[in-house]
Amino acid sequence: MTNFLSESANLEHLASLIPGHDRDLFSSFGHCQFEAAFKDRLFVVFQPTGLNPDNTHRDPEVLTMLKVLAFDAEAEYGAEVLIFDTVTGNEQWVGHIPNRLFNYKVFMQVPPYLQLKWDAVRDRNGAIKRSLSFGLLIKTANRSDFYSAGNTYCLPPNKFRALYPNYNLRLA
């Protein structure tokens, strides 16, 4: 008889498959966020730098921009996403097992319970363009709106701009 794991047991098992050198860091992190993704979606990887004397937030240190290059799914192995680091030029496949993104202190995974959408957008000329959208889970030490100096966060540009509206973010 086959027994399916509960969602939490499945996530726990996937986390147990993280290589040992990253597993402790992953386990110490407390915040997981769900982000919509699609081909060419950008994510900003950054670190807050503290407060100014007037208690406003200093500009963060933007470490890189990540770009979603591809989505692939296969019945036996599940889904994975190809991520491109615009600063280093490196690529990394991210699947259902949480992966540390390059050498940054951020983890990403394709959730094991995945909803796919074939979204439609009407352009300025009235033509309909479609793209596949899917979710990604991103795990960090804490929430980005805590502005914890030295912690690393990964957000889409619109959420980054909500935290740092005066920062001149140049999209790759």
Side-chain angles (χ1 to χ4, degrees):
M1 181 167 133
T2 302
N3 291 322
F4 285 94
L5 297 177
S6 67
E7 185 171 353
S8 61
N10 190 11
L11 288 169
E12 190 176 303
H13 178 258
L14 290 168
S16 76
L17 300 174
I18 298 170
H21 58 280
D22 283 337
R23 193 176 312 128
D24 290 340
L25 181 63
F26 179 83
S27 296
S28 73
F29 284 0
H31 181 68
C32 193
Q33 67 199 46
F34 181 86
E35 294 294 343
F38 43 85
K39 187 177 182 314
D40 296 330
R41 175 73 182 225
L42 295 173
F43 290 94
V44 183
V45 178
F46 67 97
Q47 292 180 330
T49 58
L51 294 172
N52 292 310
D54 64 355
N55 281 334
T56 59
H57 294 283
R58 289 187 199 131
D59 282 350
E61 179 183 359
V62 173
L63 303 174
T64 193
M65 298 284 286
L66 302 177
K67 186 175 188 177
V68 175
L69 294 183
F71 174 89
D72 190 37
E74 202 273 335
E76 187 175 347
Y77 300 105
E80 57 185 357
V81 175
L82 183 59
I83 304 294
F84 175 71
D85 184 323
T86 63
V87 169
T88 65
N90 293 329
E91 295 179 352
Q92 178 180 350
W93 283 98
V94 173
H96 297 296
I97 298 169
N99 273 279
R100 184 170 176 175
L101 290 173
F102 305 100
N103 288 319
Y104 307 112
K105 290 186 178 179
V106 172
F107 288 83
M108 183 181 281
Q109 79 182 101
V110 175
Y113 300 93
L114 183 63
Q115 180 179 8
L116 300 175
K117 292 191 241 175
W118 187 237
D119 283 334
V121 175
R122 191 176 305 277
D123 69 13
R124 292 183 186 126
N125 299 325
I128 294 178
K129 296 180 113 179
R130 295 192 176 272
S131 68
L132 183 69
S133 67
F134 47 89
L136 292 172
L137 290 175
I138 299 170
K139 192 166 185 184
T140 56
N142 61 6
R143 291 176 19 175
S144 56
D145 60 354
F146 286 5
Y147 298 93
S148 298
N151 281 355
T152 304
Y153 303 100
C154 179
L155 294 175
N158 57 339
K159 290 185 179 181
F160 175 87
R161 285 185 181 113
L163 292 176
Y164 297 99
N166 297 324
Y167 185 85
N168 184 14
L169 182 64
R170 292 189 175 98
L171 299 179

